Structure formats: C-alpha cells, structure tokens
Amino acid sequence: MWKYPTSVDDICRLFADFCCGRLSGLPWYDQPLNPETDVIRQQLATVNLGGYLTINSQPAVNGVPSDDKVFGWGPKNGYVYQKAYLEFFVSAEELERLLDTISGDPMITYHAVNRQGDFRTNALSDRPNAVTWGVFPGKEIQQPTIVEAISFMAWKVSTLPLLLFSTAKRRRLSAGRARGPGELKVFFFSSPRRSARRKDEAFELWAQWAKIYNRGSPSAELIESIADSWFLVNVVHNDFQKPQAIFDIFETLVLPTRDANGDIVDAASCRAASR
C-alpha cells in the first residue's frame, strides 16, 4: 500500500494522498479521516506535500448547533466551538522556519518535541488550553478537548500491542463525534496518561513502519532517520473566528501542491478523489 519510499518527497506524497482519499490508511490511521476534515482536506494535502506530515487536526468552529451532523456533540439546544489545531512531524530545519514565521503572532501557541525529548514551546504557562468547548442550557461550559505541556511531554514506554490498542481506541473516541445527548469528543491531550501513550506511539509507529522493509534498505533507513531526527509539533490558532488563519502560516513555507508527475493539484482534484 505504501510502496517503497526512498525520499522525503515520497513520504510527503503518501500523507497527501491519504488526506485526498487516494490512500486508505497510514500507520497513524486505521480508518479514513473524520467527516469534519472535509472542510480542510485540500489545505492538509498542501501542508503535507510541503513537508509537514499531519497526524491530527481539527478545523475552527464558531457556534455550530450541538445537533449538527458533522461538528455537533453533547446535549440538545447547545452550541459548540473549536480552535483550529494541527499536529504534525517536521524536520528540525523546517521547524526553525516555522517558528520564525509564527514568532510575532500572539494568537498562535505551539509545543514541539523530538524523540530524544528536546522540548520547545511559546506557551506562557503550563495551564491547559481548551480547543473544543460547548455551551448547553442549564449546564456549565464543557471543555472535552485541551492542549497542555505536561501531557505533551509525558513519556511512557509502551509495547506494540498496547500501542495498537491505543490507536484503535483513540480513533473510536476522536472519530465518534457525538450523535446523542451527553456524548463528547475526546482528544488525546485531555488525559496525561492517554497523551503519554499517544506521544510514544507517534514516534514508535515510524519504527514499526520501517520494519516492513528489509533492514538497511533505502526505505527502512529513510523512515528510521525521520523517527530519529524529526520533531512532533502541535500548533493551535486561538482565534476560532478565523478558520483559515492556521493555514495562512504555511503560505510562505510551502510550495504549490504537486502530484507525483509534477502537476499542480488544485482543490477540485483533491475533493474529487475523496468522494
């Protein structure tokens, strides 16, 4: 399914193809992207082709009814909100370019860490940042999704069976946007223990992917080098009233989206492939 990638560009195209629906899965995904991702599918493909390999995301949402078929969750007659969020792998060199770009924007917060535990952030405190919340009649504001440094930095060695179980469980939780009263979207950052498994898993799955190929082969060495040297990054744009703002960050960082033949891929072609 993933053929024999021998360059970073090959890996980027695999991630972009998954975003566009041309690839059925990746080591981090055991099912297709959530329906809410349709509104940012092309932007994700562009970001991935530019070397920012996304493994989690959510679009900004501003006061959508809680019974909405795509974004809704929780009790009836409420309204739900989301800040735009991206989680991705990126090389150390591209990370520096990204941080230079966002350094002057007070609406953006990020956390970045590599496999060795080198950590960077611009968050001014360790307090959680709510990125999904809901307002419902007669209830306190509910915040099922948070991002926090403690959870992001948690590091816990897990075995592969636990990692695979965590993957399936996480997908059921995050993909199962509420369809009935009381159901909540759950994101891995909402629990330090879940986050520890999730972060280990994010890097470990590179190693498991490399084992598909012969040891010492170009594909195995490429994938292992990414696991050993790239950073896992999350970025939150805190202005949920500007849904495109998080992708504007990458306009000066990412070249036009191109397919394997070098042709520019437009939004229509990505949407068509996802149907």
Side-chain angles (χ1 to χ4, degrees), residues 130-269:
V131 294
T132 301
W133 65 99
V135 181
F136 307 100
K139 296 182 179 293
E140 294 182 352
I141 293 176
Q142 298 185 24
Q143 301 177 1
T145 313
I146 63 172
V147 172
E148 59 181 347
I150 293 175
S151 296
F152 189 69
M153 280 302 296
W155 193 276
K156 182 175 181 290
V157 177
S158 303
T159 62
L160 180 59
L162 176 59
L163 293 174
L164 294 178
F165 172 78
S166 176
T167 301
K169 182 178 181 181
R170 187 185 74 256
R171 292 308 164 203
R172 287 197 297 272
L173 290 171
S174 63
R177 300 306 300 272
R179 297 296 181 263
E183 292 185 73
L184 298 178
K185 175 186 179 183
V186 180
F187 214 40
F188 78 89
F189 283 116
S190 61
S191 162
R193 183 174 298 175
R194 183 181 297 116
S195 178
R197 293 199 303 267
R198 177 65 178 82
K199 180 172 173 292
D200 272 342
E201 176 190 347
F203 284 102
E204 177 63 20
L205 287 178
W206 285 107
Q208 297 303 322
W209 186 4
K211 290 179 181 179
I212 295 175
Y213 307 100
N214 293 330
R215 180 178 296 181
S217 67
S219 294
E221 290 187 347
L222 169 66
I223 294 169
E224 289 169 354
S225 70
I226 291 175
D228 289 338
S229 62
W230 284 37
F231 277 76
L232 176 65
V233 183
N234 69 52
V235 174
V236 177
H237 198 289
N238 290 280
D239 190 344
F240 58 90
Q241 295 184 338
K242 296 180 179 179
Q244 180 61 29
I246 195 168
F247 294 105
D248 291 342
I249 300 169
F250 299 93
E251 284 191 353
T252 60
L253 300 174
V254 175
L255 295 174
T257 305
R258 297 180 182 274
D259 61 19
N261 298 319
D263 298 323
I264 293 178
V265 179
D266 59 20
S269 65

Side-chain angles (χ1 to χ4, degrees), residues 25-40:
L26 288 170
W28 296 264
Y29 294 90
D30 52 14
Q31 60 184 354
L33 294 175
N34 299 340
E36 73 172 19
T37 308
D38 285 343
V39 300
I40 56 173

